[in-house]
Amino acid sequence: MVLGACAAWSLISAAMHDGRPEGVLLAILAVAAGYAAGRIGGALLPVAVPCAAALAGVGLTLTVPHLSPGPQLVTPLGHAGATAAVLTLASGAACCAAWSASAPLLRLALRLLAAGITVTAALLGSTSGFVTCSAVLVCSLSAGHLRHRGVGIAGLALSAASVTGLIWAVAGNVVPGGLLAWLEGQLTMHRIQLWHDALHLAREDLALGVGPGRFGELSSTATGTLLSDGKPHSAPLQQAAEQGVVGVLLLAAAFCWMLFALWRTARPTPVALTAGAALTALAAIAAVGNALSFTTVSVGAGLLAGLATARPIAVESTQREDDVRTRGDQLAP
């Protein structure tokens, strides 16, 4: 329902302002397809499928030119974020596979795979990818000692809200000078100017926005840049500029629904919190970059969410057998 509402609102906003909703619709379709595949794969092969997904993520990062942060003749802004996002999701998938495995040696091998993905991010020069992969690995190891899942889910929600609030504060010029100077050095002044333009466009039409795909036409910073993809490189600010307050609320609803699904999933707590940590790290990357514009990232996010909320068939069969035996004992004379 949430994804359907996102698609419907993008069409409404586009119709009102002659926008182009194709990119939004493609991203929603990619998330839905990845989620469906994750639910099916997680139910049938809860260890093999996330392991394969992790290896596929690393393989795509190393082989697809537009995901590699290495030197290129033309490197548009945003590809480094896609690299970090794919590696973060791959690390989360490997950790989820490790918690789903029962054999100690296999669990150790999968954790070493997650550590290897973190090292790969460092070798590729993706600083943000190294940081987020390390955070996912640490959170996954810590999740095994956490008894109450709700505490971890609340912490993830607070982390995502804090990053989003900071980005909004930077766009609104309400950040102290020392912190702003440091952020300009890390994020570049060009990106922050794009955020200023996005917030300015959002204020012009708070309800509907300027229309999907129209930021590049109306942003003075984007039009004055030689190599520009027409994006503000911040998912919350892009939603605010192109689809208004309703678009931002729908984006937040999609993230909150994902956390709620992880809180209610029948999978073990470490699996749920590991996937939640990886998806929260992705939300942070998307808040300061253009990661969600890459179909690979959207599919990977849906796939990991589906894997973490799937109910393995083997577990269901065991539970049913236990229920039947229990009922049989109760009915026995």
Side-chain angles (χ1 to χ4, degrees), residues 27-266:
I28 293 173
L29 181 61
V31 172
Y35 183 75
R39 290 297 297 256
I40 296 172
L44 297 176
L45 300 169
V47 178
V49 172
C51 178
L55 294 174
V58 177
L60 286 173
T61 303
L62 296 176
T63 57
V64 177
H66 292 302
L67 288 181
S68 175
Q72 299 177 19
L73 294 178
V74 178
T75 307
L77 186 66
H79 290 168
T83 299
V86 172
L87 291 176
T88 300
L89 293 173
S91 178
C95 291
C96 287
W99 281 115
S100 300
S102 56
L105 290 179
L106 179 58
R107 179 171 292 185
L108 177 61
L110 290 170
R111 286 177 177 166
L112 290 176
L113 173 60
I117 294 173
T118 306
V119 174
T120 301
L123 294 176
L124 290 175
S126 177
T127 304
S128 58
F130 174 76
V131 172
T132 52
C133 288
S134 300
V136 169
L137 186 57
V138 171
C139 289
S140 179
L141 294 175
S142 303
H145 304 284
L146 192 63
R147 295 183 179 180
H148 301 288
R149 182 182 304 185
V151 176
I153 295 295
L156 295 176
L158 180 61
S159 300
S162 300
V163 173
T164 304
L166 177 61
I167 299 310
W168 219 277
V170 172
N173 286 323
V174 294
V175 177
L179 179 59
L180 180 60
W182 181 81
L183 289 173
E184 289 178 354
Q186 300 297 317
L187 299 170
T188 71
M189 189 61 191
H190 173 65
R191 191 187 301 261
I192 294 179
Q193 288 175 349
L194 290 172
W195 294 354
H196 293 332
D197 290 351
L199 191 59
H200 175 72
L201 292 175
R203 289 169 178 168
E204 291 185 358
D205 193 336
L206 290 176
L208 293 171
V210 298
R214 297 195 64 209
F215 176 83
E217 303 173 4
L218 303 176
S219 169
S220 57
T221 303
T223 55
T225 303
L226 181 61
L227 298 176
S228 175
D229 57 3
K231 307 288 185 181
H233 293 269
S234 173
L237 290 174
Q238 182 173 353
Q239 285 292 98
E242 297 185 346
Q243 299 186 44
V245 175
V246 177
V248 176
L249 293 177
L250 287 173
L251 181 64
F255 181 75
C256 291
W257 175 86
M258 180 272 298
L259 291 181
F260 177 77
L262 292 175
W263 178 52
R264 297 290 297 170
T265 182

